[in-house]
């Protein structure tokens, strides 16, 4: 079975400060990792997927298979980054497709 | 661009009643996923369909059933509703194996 852990329920930073949202996973196979973001009263939106290795809105995330982590980072946080962030894992095999989510981290960026 | 549509957006039911939630995927998406998010919890996978056939099943109660129709829209039928069924129900769609795009959710309140 797969599991995703986001150890921080709440994270507060000031505008312009670096931010790192932690995500650890456990899965015996080769996972696909995603970050989804949910702004206030909006739907879940894909922020990043590790396969594409792209940077969206200044956020990056690197899959570290040795540490089984997929931390989300941004060097300079903006107020509009305040939102709920979910790390999610998609397994292979017969469970291909469904996402397993972490508990989510509420990021608040203060002016 | 067209997004995933869910209806209704809000639903209030009494215990032991029945509810039907609908999901209209993005055009040309052949896979639909249903997730349940209880208060303060992460989204939990319920069930998915690929090309109108059930492709995976998660922690979906026997009181719930779902199907995907010929036009690819999906319906989640919930019977004998319980207080604990109060949650936000997300639908997501994708081309098989590709990124999942989420709908706005249906907020169900069981009284």
């Amino acid at each position: 079975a797969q599991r995703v852990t986001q150890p921080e329920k709440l994270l507060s930073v000031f505008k312009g400060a670096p931010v790192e949202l932690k995500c650890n996973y456990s899965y015996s196979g080769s996972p696909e990792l995603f970050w989804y973001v949910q702004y206030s009263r909006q739907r879940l939106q894909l922020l990043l997927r590790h396969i594409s290795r792209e940077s969206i809105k200044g956020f990056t995330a690197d899959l570290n298979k040795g540490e089984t982590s997929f931390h989300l980072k941004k060097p300079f946080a903006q107020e509009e980054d305040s939102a709920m962030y979910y790390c999610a894992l998609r397994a292979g095999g017969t469970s291909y497709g469904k996402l397993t989510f972490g508990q989510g981290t509420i990021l608040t960026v203060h002016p | 661009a067209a997004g995933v549509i869910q209806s209704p957006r809000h639903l209030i039911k009494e215990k032991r009643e029945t509810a039907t939630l609908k999901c209209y995927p993005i055009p040309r998406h052949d896979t639909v996923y249903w997730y349940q998010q209880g208060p303060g919890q992460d989204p939990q996978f319920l069930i998915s369909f690929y090309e109108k056939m059930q492709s995976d099943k998660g922690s979906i109660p026997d009181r719930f059933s779902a199907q995907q129709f010929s036009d690819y829209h999906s319906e989640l039928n919930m019977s004998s509703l319980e207080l604990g069924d109060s949650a936000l129900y997300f639908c997501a769609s994708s081309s098989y194996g590709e990124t999942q795009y989420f709908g706005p959710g249906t907020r169900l309140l069981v009284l």
Side-chain angles (χ1 to χ4, degrees):
Chain A
Q2 55 267 24
R3 186 180 179 129
V4 178
T5 303
Q6 294 178 247
E8 302 140 329
K9 185 81 174 171
L10 302 169
L11 185 61
S12 290
V13 299
F14 286 100
K15 177 182 173 182
V19 62
E20 181 180 48
L21 289 81
K22 291 184 168 51
C23 171
N24 290 92
Y25 67 90
S26 65
Y27 177 59
S28 56
S30 184
E32 286 188 74
L33 274 298
F34 303 83
W35 277 99
Y36 279 84
V37 59
Q38 189 173 32
Y39 300 104
S40 179
R41 298 187 180 278
Q42 295 187 26
R43 67 187 68 195
L44 280 165
Q45 302 174 37
L46 178 68
L47 184 61
L48 285 176
R49 54 187 300 189
H50 89 271
I51 288 178
S52 59
R53 298 184 64 82
E54 57 190 340
S55 173
I56 304 294
K57 298 184 179 182
F59 285 97
T60 59
D62 289 317
L63 179 60
N64 186 324
K65 292 187 177 180
E67 296 182 358
T68 60
S69 68
F70 189 56
H71 303 326
L72 183 68
K73 300 177 183 179
K74 185 169 183 177
F76 307 103
Q78 303 298 315
E79 290 179 67
E80 55 265 30
D81 296 329
S82 296
M84 171 73 93
Y85 291 80
Y86 287 100
C87 182
L89 179 151
R90 184 167 70 185
T94 57
S95 295
Y96 194 64
K98 74 174 184 183
L99 294 172
T100 299
F101 287 88
Q103 300 89 333
T105 298
I106 300 172
L107 173 65
T108 303
V109 181
H110 300 284
Chain B
V4 177
I5 297 171
Q6 290 187 248
S7 67
R9 293 293 308 278
H10 303 272
L11 192 57
I12 300 175
K13 291 287 185 178
E14 301 271 339
K15 280 173 55 178
R16 292 180 288 279
E17 284 191 322
T18 298
T20 297
L21 310 185
K22 297 184 179 182
C23 170
Y24 297 87
I26 292 172
R28 291 181 293 280
H29 280 187
D30 49 25
T31 308
V32 168
Y33 309 82
W34 286 96
Y35 295 85
Q36 177 192 56
Q37 186 176 26
Q41 298 180 8
D42 53 292
Q44 295 288 321
F45 171 74
L46 292 177
I47 196 167
S48 63
F49 293 88
Y50 167 64
E51 284 290 345
K52 293 152 278 184
M53 298 287 289
Q54 181 181 307
S55 55
D56 199 1
K57 193 173 181 180
S59 50
I60 183 169
D62 292 339
R63 299 178 288 108
F64 293 7
S65 65
Q67 57 181 322
Q68 186 179 30
F69 294 86
S70 58
D71 63 352
Y72 295 98
H73 93 273
S74 178
E75 295 184 3
L76 177 66
N77 297 292
M78 310 160 69
S79 63
S80 302
L81 287 169
E82 302 174 356
L83 296 178
D85 296 329
S86 296
L88 187 59
Y89 290 83
F90 286 110
C91 168
S93 76
S94 74
S95 295
Y96 187 73
E98 296 300 318
T99 299
Q100 293 181 33
Y101 294 89
F102 282 79
T106 294
R107 190 169 295 280
L108 173 65
L109 177 61
V110 181
L111 301 176

